[in-house]
PDB file of all heavy atoms in Angstrom:
ATOM      1  N   THR A  39       1.634 -36.966  -1.466  1.00  0.00           N
ATOM      2  CA  THR A  39       0.572 -36.262  -2.225  1.00  0.00           C
ATOM      3  C   THR A  39       0.742 -34.770  -1.845  1.00  0.00           C
ATOM      4  O   THR A  39       0.590 -34.345  -0.617  1.00  0.00           O
ATOM      5  CB  THR A  39      -0.770 -36.650  -1.906  1.00  0.00           C
ATOM      6  OG1 THR A  39      -0.990 -38.061  -2.220  1.00  0.00           O
ATOM      7  CG2 THR A  39      -1.905 -35.904  -2.819  1.00  0.00           C
ATOM      8  N   ILE A  40       0.955 -33.962  -2.930  1.00  0.00           N
ATOM      9  CA  ILE A  40       1.074 -32.520  -2.690  1.00  0.00           C
ATOM     10  C   ILE A  40      -0.330 -31.831  -3.079  1.00  0.00           C
ATOM     11  O   ILE A  40      -0.898 -32.410  -4.026  1.00  0.00           O
ATOM     12  CB  ILE A  40       2.164 -31.846  -3.577  1.00  0.00           C
ATOM     13  CG1 ILE A  40       2.467 -30.377  -3.166  1.00  0.00           C
ATOM     14  CG2 ILE A  40       1.970 -32.042  -5.075  1.00  0.00           C
ATOM     15  CD1 ILE A  40       3.655 -29.812  -3.750  1.00  0.00           C
ATOM     16  N   SER A  41      -0.718 -30.880  -2.511  1.00  0.00           N
ATOM     17  CA  SER A  41      -2.012 -30.255  -2.635  1.00  0.00           C
ATOM     18  C   SER A  41      -1.903 -28.804  -2.248  1.00  0.00           C
ATOM     19  O   SER A  41      -0.928 -28.410  -1.587  1.00  0.00           O
ATOM     20  CB  SER A  41      -3.254 -31.011  -1.889  1.00  0.00           C
ATOM     21  OG  SER A  41      -3.022 -30.848  -0.563  1.00  0.00           O
ATOM     22  N   ARG A  42      -2.914 -28.025  -2.633  1.00  0.00           N
ATOM     23  CA  ARG A  42      -2.923 -26.580  -2.265  1.00  0.00           C
ATOM     24  C   ARG A  42      -4.166 -26.185  -2.003  1.00  0.00           C
ATOM     25  O   ARG A  42      -5.167 -26.687  -2.365  1.00  0.00           O
ATOM     26  CB  ARG A  42      -2.253 -25.782  -3.426  1.00  0.00           C
ATOM     27  CG  ARG A  42      -3.229 -25.741  -4.734  1.00  0.00           C
ATOM     28  CD  ARG A  42      -2.471 -25.336  -5.917  1.00  0.00           C
ATOM     29  NE  ARG A  42      -1.678 -24.156  -5.795  1.00  0.00           N
ATOM     30  CZ  ARG A  42      -0.849 -23.679  -6.661  1.00  0.00           C
ATOM     31  NH1 ARG A  42      -0.588 -24.310  -7.711  1.00  0.00           N
ATOM     32  NH2 ARG A  42      -0.217 -22.416  -6.503  1.00  0.00           N
ATOM     33  N   ASP A  43      -4.301 -25.131  -1.095  1.00  0.00           N
ATOM     34  CA  ASP A  43      -5.581 -24.343  -0.689  1.00  0.00           C
ATOM     35  C   ASP A  43      -5.249 -22.903  -1.095  1.00  0.00           C
ATOM     36  O   ASP A  43      -4.558 -22.226  -0.403  1.00  0.00           O
ATOM     37  CB  ASP A  43      -5.911 -24.483   0.764  1.00  0.00           C
ATOM     38  CG  ASP A  43      -7.164 -23.989   1.082  1.00  0.00           C
ATOM     39  OD1 ASP A  43      -7.734 -23.108   0.497  1.00  0.00           O
ATOM     40  OD2 ASP A  43      -7.768 -24.345   2.098  1.00  0.00           O
ATOM     41  N   ASN A  44      -5.706 -22.510  -2.267  1.00  0.00           N
ATOM     42  CA  ASN A  44      -5.548 -21.190  -2.787  1.00  0.00           C
ATOM     43  C   ASN A  44      -6.067 -20.087  -1.767  1.00  0.00           C
ATOM     44  O   ASN A  44      -5.601 -19.027  -1.627  1.00  0.00           O
ATOM     45  CB  ASN A  44      -5.984 -21.009  -4.164  1.00  0.00           C
ATOM     46  CG  ASN A  44      -5.087 -21.765  -5.087  1.00  0.00           C
ATOM     47  OD1 ASN A  44      -3.942 -22.002  -4.938  1.00  0.00           O
ATOM     48  ND2 ASN A  44      -5.897 -22.201  -6.118  1.00  0.00           N
ATOM     49  N   ALA A  45      -7.277 -20.488  -1.215  1.00  0.00           N
ATOM     50  CA  ALA A  45      -7.850 -19.428  -0.371  1.00  0.00           C
ATOM     51  C   ALA A  45      -7.003 -19.189   0.836  1.00  0.00           C
ATOM     52  O   ALA A  45      -7.082 -18.046   1.424  1.00  0.00           O
ATOM     53  CB  ALA A  45      -9.278 -19.891   0.067  1.00  0.00           C
ATOM     54  N   LYS A  46      -6.304 -20.106   1.348  1.00  0.00           N
ATOM     55  CA  LYS A  46      -5.313 -19.945   2.574  1.00  0.00           C
ATOM     56  C   LYS A  46      -3.945 -19.729   2.113  1.00  0.00           C
ATOM     57  O   LYS A  46      -2.997 -19.709   3.033  1.00  0.00           O
ATOM     58  CB  LYS A  46      -5.452 -21.265   3.365  1.00  0.00           C
ATOM     59  CG  LYS A  46      -6.932 -21.358   4.094  1.00  0.00           C
ATOM     60  CD  LYS A  46      -6.863 -22.663   4.913  1.00  0.00           C
ATOM     61  CE  LYS A  46      -8.188 -22.807   5.561  1.00  0.00           C
ATOM     62  NZ  LYS A  46      -8.390 -23.974   6.524  1.00  0.00           N
ATOM     63  N   ASN A  47      -3.637 -19.692   0.814  1.00  0.00           N
ATOM     64  CA  ASN A  47      -2.232 -19.557   0.287  1.00  0.00           C
ATOM     65  C   ASN A  47      -1.420 -20.620   1.019  1.00  0.00           C
ATOM     66  O   ASN A  47      -0.228 -20.371   1.387  1.00  0.00           O
ATOM     67  CB  ASN A  47      -1.737 -18.112   0.644  1.00  0.00           C
ATOM     68  CG  ASN A  47      -2.504 -17.080  -0.164  1.00  0.00           C
ATOM     69  OD1 ASN A  47      -2.922 -17.311  -1.385  1.00  0.00           O
ATOM     70  ND2 ASN A  47      -2.702 -15.928   0.511  1.00  0.00           N
ATOM     71  N   THR A  48      -1.758 -21.857   1.050  1.00  0.00           N
ATOM     72  CA  THR A  48      -1.079 -22.842   1.709  1.00  0.00           C
ATOM     73  C   THR A  48      -0.905 -24.012   0.765  1.00  0.00           C
ATOM     74  O   THR A  48      -1.832 -24.451   0.011  1.00  0.00           O
ATOM     75  CB  THR A  48      -1.920 -23.290   2.982  1.00  0.00           C
ATOM     76  OG1 THR A  48      -1.946 -22.105   3.780  1.00  0.00           O
ATOM     77  CG2 THR A  48      -1.220 -24.368   3.691  1.00  0.00           C
ATOM     78  N   VAL A  49       0.221 -24.670   0.859  1.00  0.00           N
ATOM     79  CA  VAL A  49       0.533 -25.885   0.172  1.00  0.00           C
ATOM     80  C   VAL A  49       0.714 -26.968   1.168  1.00  0.00           C
ATOM     81  O   VAL A  49       1.384 -26.724   2.254  1.00  0.00           O
ATOM     82  CB  VAL A  49       1.722 -25.756  -0.883  1.00  0.00           C
ATOM     83  CG1 VAL A  49       3.067 -25.432  -0.031  1.00  0.00           C
ATOM     84  CG2 VAL A  49       1.923 -27.049  -1.728  1.00  0.00           C
ATOM     85  N   TYR A  50       0.351 -28.273   0.892  1.00  0.00           N
ATOM     86  CA  TYR A  50       0.458 -29.381   1.772  1.00  0.00           C
ATOM     87  C   TYR A  50       1.292 -30.455   1.200  1.00  0.00           C
ATOM     88  O   TYR A  50       1.378 -30.682  -0.149  1.00  0.00           O
ATOM     89  CB  TYR A  50      -0.777 -29.871   2.251  1.00  0.00           C
ATOM     90  CG  TYR A  50      -1.792 -28.952   2.888  1.00  0.00           C
ATOM     91  CD1 TYR A  50      -2.649 -28.137   2.158  1.00  0.00           C
ATOM     92  CD2 TYR A  50      -1.674 -28.582   4.259  1.00  0.00           C
ATOM     93  CE1 TYR A  50      -3.517 -27.159   2.620  1.00  0.00           C
ATOM     94  CE2 TYR A  50      -2.536 -27.564   4.686  1.00  0.00           C
ATOM     95  CZ  TYR A  50      -3.519 -26.845   4.013  1.00  0.00           C
ATOM     96  OH  TYR A  50      -4.235 -26.037   4.619  1.00  0.00           O
ATOM     97  N   LEU A  51       1.939 -31.217   2.064  1.00  0.00           N
ATOM     98  CA  LEU A  51       2.554 -32.471   1.584  1.00  0.00           C
ATOM     99  C   LEU A  51       2.115 -33.530   2.469  1.00  0.00           C
ATOM    100  O   LEU A  51       2.516 -33.597   3.669  1.00  0.00           O
ATOM    101  CB  LEU A  51       4.078 -32.309   1.565  1.00  0.00           C
ATOM    102  CG  LEU A  51       4.805 -33.620   0.973  1.00  0.00           C
ATOM    103  CD1 LEU A  51       4.550 -33.772  -0.415  1.00  0.00           C
ATOM    104  CD2 LEU A  51       6.300 -33.460   1.214  1.00  0.00           C
ATOM    105  N   ARG A  52       1.308 -34.461   2.024  1.00  0.00           N
ATOM    106  CA  ARG A  52       0.926 -35.520   2.713  1.00  0.00           C
ATOM    107  C   ARG A  52       1.779 -36.729   2.511  1.00  0.00           C
ATOM    108  O   ARG A  52       1.924 -37.196   1.369  1.00  0.00           O
ATOM    109  CB  ARG A  52      -0.480 -36.031   2.496  1.00  0.00           C
ATOM    110  CG  ARG A  52      -1.126 -37.285   3.149  1.00  0.00           C
ATOM    111  CD  ARG A  52      -1.218 -37.029   4.677  1.00  0.00           C
ATOM    112  NE  ARG A  52      -1.806 -38.159   5.422  1.00  0.00           N
ATOM    113  CZ  ARG A  52      -2.081 -38.269   6.719  1.00  0.00           C
ATOM    114  NH1 ARG A  52      -1.736 -37.092   7.487  1.00  0.00           N
ATOM    115  NH2 ARG A  52      -2.444 -39.336   7.195  1.00  0.00           N
ATOM    116  N   MET A  53       2.372 -37.291   3.479  1.00  0.00           N
ATOM    117  CA  MET A  53       3.438 -38.285   3.429  1.00  0.00           C
ATOM    118  C   MET A  53       2.958 -39.606   4.107  1.00  0.00           C
ATOM    119  O   MET A  53       2.771 -39.613   5.290  1.00  0.00           O
ATOM    120  CB  MET A  53       4.703 -37.835   4.000  1.00  0.00           C
ATOM    121  CG  MET A  53       5.280 -36.694   3.358  1.00  0.00           C
ATOM    122  SD  MET A  53       6.920 -36.199   3.996  1.00  0.00           S
ATOM    123  CE  MET A  53       6.471 -35.797   5.760  1.00  0.00           C
ATOM    124  N   ASN A  54       2.668 -40.675   3.259  1.00  0.00           N
ATOM    125  CA  ASN A  54       2.285 -41.980   3.764  1.00  0.00           C
ATOM    126  C   ASN A  54       3.299 -43.096   3.511  1.00  0.00           C
ATOM    127  O   ASN A  54       4.247 -42.814   2.768  1.00  0.00           O
ATOM    128  CB  ASN A  54       0.979 -42.391   3.025  1.00  0.00           C
ATOM    129  CG  ASN A  54      -0.200 -41.494   3.209  1.00  0.00           C
ATOM    130  OD1 ASN A  54      -0.428 -40.908   4.503  1.00  0.00           O
ATOM    131  ND2 ASN A  54      -1.070 -41.324   2.370  1.00  0.00           N
ATOM    132  N   SER A  55       3.213 -44.087   4.237  1.00  0.00           N
ATOM    133  CA  SER A  55       4.066 -45.103   4.103  1.00  0.00           C
ATOM    134  C   SER A  55       5.502 -44.682   4.364  1.00  0.00           C
ATOM    135  O   SER A  55       6.422 -45.101   3.503  1.00  0.00           O
ATOM    136  CB  SER A  55       3.953 -45.998   2.830  1.00  0.00           C
ATOM    137  OG  SER A  55       2.613 -46.409   2.916  1.00  0.00           O
ATOM    138  N   LEU A  56       5.875 -43.919   5.301  1.00  0.00           N
ATOM    139  CA  LEU A  56       7.243 -43.294   5.473  1.00  0.00           C
ATOM    140  C   LEU A  56       8.239 -44.347   5.635  1.00  0.00           C
ATOM    141  O   LEU A  56       8.046 -45.384   6.343  1.00  0.00           O
ATOM    142  CB  LEU A  56       7.146 -42.298   6.501  1.00  0.00           C
ATOM    143  CG  LEU A  56       6.530 -40.869   6.194  1.00  0.00           C
ATOM    144  CD1 LEU A  56       6.202 -40.143   7.424  1.00  0.00           C
ATOM    145  CD2 LEU A  56       7.540 -40.131   5.315  1.00  0.00           C
ATOM    146  N   LYS A  57       9.376 -44.048   5.183  1.00  0.00           N
ATOM    147  CA  LYS A  57      10.634 -45.006   5.270  1.00  0.00           C
ATOM    148  C   LYS A  57      11.691 -44.248   5.886  1.00  0.00           C
ATOM    149  O   LYS A  57      11.715 -43.024   5.818  1.00  0.00           O
ATOM    150  CB  LYS A  57      11.109 -45.453   3.806  1.00  0.00           C
ATOM    151  CG  LYS A  57      10.001 -46.085   2.994  1.00  0.00           C
ATOM    152  CD  LYS A  57      10.449 -46.479   1.588  1.00  0.00           C
ATOM    153  CE  LYS A  57       9.390 -47.049   0.768  1.00  0.00           C
ATOM    154  NZ  LYS A  57       9.925 -47.371  -0.578  1.00  0.00           N
ATOM    155  N   PRO A  58      12.551 -44.929   6.453  1.00  0.00           N
ATOM    156  CA  PRO A  58      13.767 -44.273   7.170  1.00  0.00           C
ATOM    157  C   PRO A  58      14.549 -43.429   6.127  1.00  0.00           C
ATOM    158  O   PRO A  58      15.097 -42.430   6.438  1.00  0.00           O
ATOM    159  CB  PRO A  58      14.623 -45.413   7.520  1.00  0.00           C
ATOM    160  CG  PRO A  58      13.520 -46.488   7.937  1.00  0.00           C
ATOM    161  CD  PRO A  58      12.599 -46.358   6.939  1.00  0.00           C
ATOM    162  N   GLU A  59      14.496 -43.864   4.793  1.00  0.00           N
ATOM    163  CA  GLU A  59      15.271 -43.106   3.774  1.00  0.00           C
ATOM    164  C   GLU A  59      14.588 -41.700   3.541  1.00  0.00           C
ATOM    165  O   GLU A  59      15.167 -40.965   2.931  1.00  0.00           O
ATOM    166  CB  GLU A  59      15.276 -43.903   2.436  1.00  0.00           C
ATOM    167  CG  GLU A  59      15.797 -45.318   2.602  1.00  0.00           C
ATOM    168  CD  GLU A  59      14.786 -46.369   2.876  1.00  0.00           C
ATOM    169  OE1 GLU A  59      14.531 -46.498   4.134  1.00  0.00           O
ATOM    170  OE2 GLU A  59      14.263 -46.954   1.974  1.00  0.00           O
ATOM    171  N   ASP A  60      13.315 -41.511   4.086  1.00  0.00           N
ATOM    172  CA  ASP A  60      12.702 -40.162   3.886  1.00  0.00           C
ATOM    173  C   ASP A  60      13.174 -39.229   4.897  1.00  0.00           C
ATOM    174  O   ASP A  60      12.807 -38.017   4.846  1.00  0.00           O
ATOM    175  CB  ASP A  60      11.215 -40.316   4.193  1.00  0.00           C
ATOM    176  CG  ASP A  60      10.637 -41.286   2.907  1.00  0.00           C
ATOM    177  OD1 ASP A  60      10.984 -41.040   1.745  1.00  0.00           O
ATOM    178  OD2 ASP A  60       9.773 -41.970   3.213  1.00  0.00           O
ATOM    179  N   THR A  61      14.062 -39.631   5.971  1.00  0.00           N
ATOM    180  CA  THR A  61      14.576 -38.751   6.903  1.00  0.00           C
ATOM    181  C   THR A  61      15.373 -37.517   6.210  1.00  0.00           C
ATOM    182  O   THR A  61      16.410 -37.879   5.535  1.00  0.00           O
ATOM    183  CB  THR A  61      15.395 -39.449   7.903  1.00  0.00           C
ATOM    184  OG1 THR A  61      14.572 -40.477   8.624  1.00  0.00           O
ATOM    185  CG2 THR A  61      16.021 -38.652   8.865  1.00  0.00           C
ATOM    186  N   ALA A  62      14.945 -36.317   6.550  1.00  0.00           N
ATOM    187  CA  ALA A  62      15.766 -35.233   6.047  1.00  0.00           C
ATOM    188  C   ALA A  62      14.990 -34.036   6.646  1.00  0.00           C
ATOM    189  O   ALA A  62      14.023 -33.997   7.216  1.00  0.00           O
ATOM    190  CB  ALA A  62      15.485 -35.218   4.391  1.00  0.00           C
ATOM    191  N   VAL A  63      15.700 -32.903   6.198  1.00  0.00           N
ATOM    192  CA  VAL A  63      15.146 -31.587   6.500  1.00  0.00           C
ATOM    193  C   VAL A  63      14.277 -31.260   5.198  1.00  0.00           C
ATOM    194  O   VAL A  63      14.821 -31.281   4.100  1.00  0.00           O
ATOM    195  CB  VAL A  63      16.121 -30.572   6.733  1.00  0.00           C
ATOM    196  CG1 VAL A  63      15.430 -29.123   6.863  1.00  0.00           C
ATOM    197  CG2 VAL A  63      16.966 -30.783   7.949  1.00  0.00           C
ATOM    198  N   TYR A  64      13.069 -30.858   5.393  1.00  0.00           N
ATOM    199  CA  TYR A  64      12.088 -30.644   4.288  1.00  0.00           C
ATOM    200  C   TYR A  64      11.967 -29.179   4.193  1.00  0.00           C
ATOM    201  O   TYR A  64      11.638 -28.383   5.210  1.00  0.00           O
ATOM    202  CB  TYR A  64      10.842 -31.384   4.394  1.00  0.00           C
ATOM    203  CG  TYR A  64      10.863 -32.743   4.061  1.00  0.00           C
ATOM    204  CD1 TYR A  64      11.636 -33.610   4.938  1.00  0.00           C
ATOM    205  CD2 TYR A  64      10.209 -33.265   3.005  1.00  0.00           C
ATOM    206  CE1 TYR A  64      11.581 -35.046   4.528  1.00  0.00           C
ATOM    207  CE2 TYR A  64      10.279 -34.586   2.751  1.00  0.00           C
ATOM    208  CZ  TYR A  64      11.077 -35.532   3.548  1.00  0.00           C
ATOM    209  OH  TYR A  64      11.117 -36.804   3.253  1.00  0.00           O
ATOM    210  N   TYR A  65      12.186 -28.620   2.845  1.00  0.00           N
ATOM    211  CA  TYR A  65      11.923 -27.094   2.817  1.00  0.00           C
ATOM    212  C   TYR A  65      10.838 -26.748   1.728  1.00  0.00           C
ATOM    213  O   TYR A  65      10.772 -27.464   0.647  1.00  0.00           O
ATOM    214  CB  TYR A  65      13.390 -26.569   2.163  1.00  0.00           C
ATOM    215  CG  TYR A  65      14.564 -26.774   2.981  1.00  0.00           C
ATOM    216  CD1 TYR A  65      15.305 -27.875   2.898  1.00  0.00           C
ATOM    217  CD2 TYR A  65      14.870 -25.715   3.945  1.00  0.00           C
ATOM    218  CE1 TYR A  65      16.487 -27.970   3.767  1.00  0.00           C
ATOM    219  CE2 TYR A  65      15.953 -25.897   4.795  1.00  0.00           C
ATOM    220  CZ  TYR A  65      16.787 -26.927   4.713  1.00  0.00           C
ATOM    221  OH  TYR A  65      17.870 -27.065   5.491  1.00  0.00           O
ATOM    222  N   CYS A  66      10.151 -25.829   2.197  1.00  0.00           N
ATOM    223  CA  CYS A  66       9.035 -25.354   1.201  1.00  0.00           C
ATOM    224  C   CYS A  66       9.708 -24.317   0.221  1.00  0.00           C
ATOM    225  O   CYS A  66      10.617 -23.644   0.602  1.00  0.00           O
ATOM    226  CB  CYS A  66       8.014 -24.594   2.065  1.00  0.00           C
ATOM    227  SG  CYS A  66       6.716 -23.981   1.075  1.00  0.00           S
ATOM    228  N   HIS A  67       9.224 -24.362  -0.962  1.00  0.00           N
ATOM    229  CA  HIS A  67       9.843 -23.457  -2.059  1.00  0.00           C
ATOM    230  C   HIS A  67       8.723 -22.928  -2.906  1.00  0.00           C
ATOM    231  O   HIS A  67       7.714 -23.558  -3.125  1.00  0.00           O
ATOM    232  CB  HIS A  67      10.795 -24.359  -2.868  1.00  0.00           C
ATOM    233  CG  HIS A  67      11.196 -23.636  -4.208  1.00  0.00           C
ATOM    234  ND1 HIS A  67      10.681 -24.050  -5.422  1.00  0.00           N
ATOM    235  CD2 HIS A  67      12.061 -22.631  -4.420  1.00  0.00           C
ATOM    236  CE1 HIS A  67      11.211 -23.201  -6.291  1.00  0.00           C
ATOM    237  NE2 HIS A  67      12.068 -22.321  -5.740  1.00  0.00           N
ATOM    238  N   ALA A  68       8.943 -21.609  -3.360  1.00  0.00           N
ATOM    239  CA  ALA A  68       8.052 -21.024  -4.240  1.00  0.00           C
ATOM    240  C   ALA A  68       8.836 -20.265  -5.239  1.00  0.00           C
ATOM    241  O   ALA A  68       9.899 -19.743  -4.939  1.00  0.00           O
ATOM    242  CB  ALA A  68       7.231 -19.991  -3.415  1.00  0.00           C
ATOM    243  N   ARG A  69       8.306 -20.301  -6.378  1.00  0.00           N
ATOM    244  CA  ARG A  69       8.960 -19.653  -7.567  1.00  0.00           C
ATOM    245  C   ARG A  69       8.006 -18.605  -8.249  1.00  0.00           C
ATOM    246  O   ARG A  69       6.882 -19.043  -8.598  1.00  0.00           O
ATOM    247  CB  ARG A  69       9.655 -20.637  -8.622  1.00  0.00           C
ATOM    248  CG  ARG A  69       9.993 -20.012  -9.818  1.00  0.00           C
ATOM    249  CD  ARG A  69      10.875 -20.987 -10.648  1.00  0.00           C
ATOM    250  NE  ARG A  69      12.252 -21.055 -10.056  1.00  0.00           N
ATOM    251  CZ  ARG A  69      13.263 -21.761 -10.658  1.00  0.00           C
ATOM    252  NH1 ARG A  69      13.055 -22.549 -11.607  1.00  0.00           N
ATOM    253  NH2 ARG A  69      14.425 -21.858  -9.917  1.00  0.00           N
ATOM    254  N   ILE A  70       8.412 -17.468  -8.419  1.00  0.00           N
ATOM    255  CA  ILE A  70       7.632 -16.427  -9.223  1.00  0.00           C
ATOM    256  C   ILE A  70       8.525 -16.045 -10.400  1.00  0.00           C
ATOM    257  O   ILE A  70       9.574 -15.642 -10.414  1.00  0.00           O
ATOM    258  CB  ILE A  70       7.366 -15.234  -8.295  1.00  0.00           C
ATOM    259  CG1 ILE A  70       6.558 -15.663  -6.946  1.00  0.00           C
ATOM    260  CG2 ILE A  70       6.659 -14.206  -9.130  1.00  0.00           C
ATOM    261  CD1 ILE A  70       6.336 -14.554  -6.187  1.00  0.00           C
ATOM    262  N   THR A  71       7.765 -16.184 -11.582  1.00  0.00           N
ATOM    263  CA  THR A  71       8.567 -15.811 -12.747  1.00  0.00           C
ATOM    264  C   THR A  71       7.840 -14.473 -13.427  1.00  0.00           C
ATOM    265  O   THR A  71       6.605 -14.364 -13.340  1.00  0.00           O
ATOM    266  CB  THR A  71       8.446 -16.899 -13.779  1.00  0.00           C
ATOM    267  OG1 THR A  71       7.249 -17.278 -14.091  1.00  0.00           O
ATOM    268  CG2 THR A  71       9.220 -18.119 -13.238  1.00  0.00           C
ATOM    269  N   GLY A  72       8.656 -13.700 -14.057  1.00  0.00           N
ATOM    270  CA  GLY A  72       8.244 -12.570 -14.743  1.00  0.00           C
ATOM    271  C   GLY A  72       9.377 -11.929 -15.526  1.00  0.00           C
ATOM    272  O   GLY A  72      10.055 -12.747 -16.162  1.00  0.00           O
ATOM    273  N   LEU A  73       9.704 -10.668 -15.263  1.00  0.00           N
ATOM    274  CA  LEU A  73      10.812 -10.095 -15.906  1.00  0.00           C
ATOM    275  C   LEU A  73      12.087 -10.836 -15.398  1.00  0.00           C
ATOM    276  O   LEU A  73      13.062 -11.094 -16.016  1.00  0.00           O
ATOM    277  CB  LEU A  73      10.909  -8.613 -15.739  1.00  0.00           C
ATOM    278  CG  LEU A  73      12.112  -7.897 -16.210  1.00  0.00           C
ATOM    279  CD1 LEU A  73      11.995  -7.967 -17.702  1.00  0.00           C
ATOM    280  CD2 LEU A  73      12.026  -6.448 -15.880  1.00  0.00           C
TER     281      LEU A  73
END
């Protein structure tokens, strides 16, 4: 489950029922669009 707290400018990823296949390096990403 991904969620956000705009007041804290924070995004969370709650991971339940984890499997060995979930093993990885996890990277946070942000995209800003405009010109």
Side-chain angles (χ1 to χ4, degrees):
T39 302
I40 189 169
S41 61
R42 68 198 307 170
D43 185 338
N44 290 327
K46 297 181 178 180
N47 296 325
T48 301
V49 63
Y50 304 94
L51 184 67
R52 177 68 178 180
M53 304 182 292
N54 294 327
S55 302
L56 282 162
K57 306 174 180 179
E59 304 92 274
D60 296 318
T61 296
V63 177
Y64 285 69
Y65 297 92
C66 183
H67 169 257
R69 170 164 287 182
I70 300 175
T71 58
L73 182 61

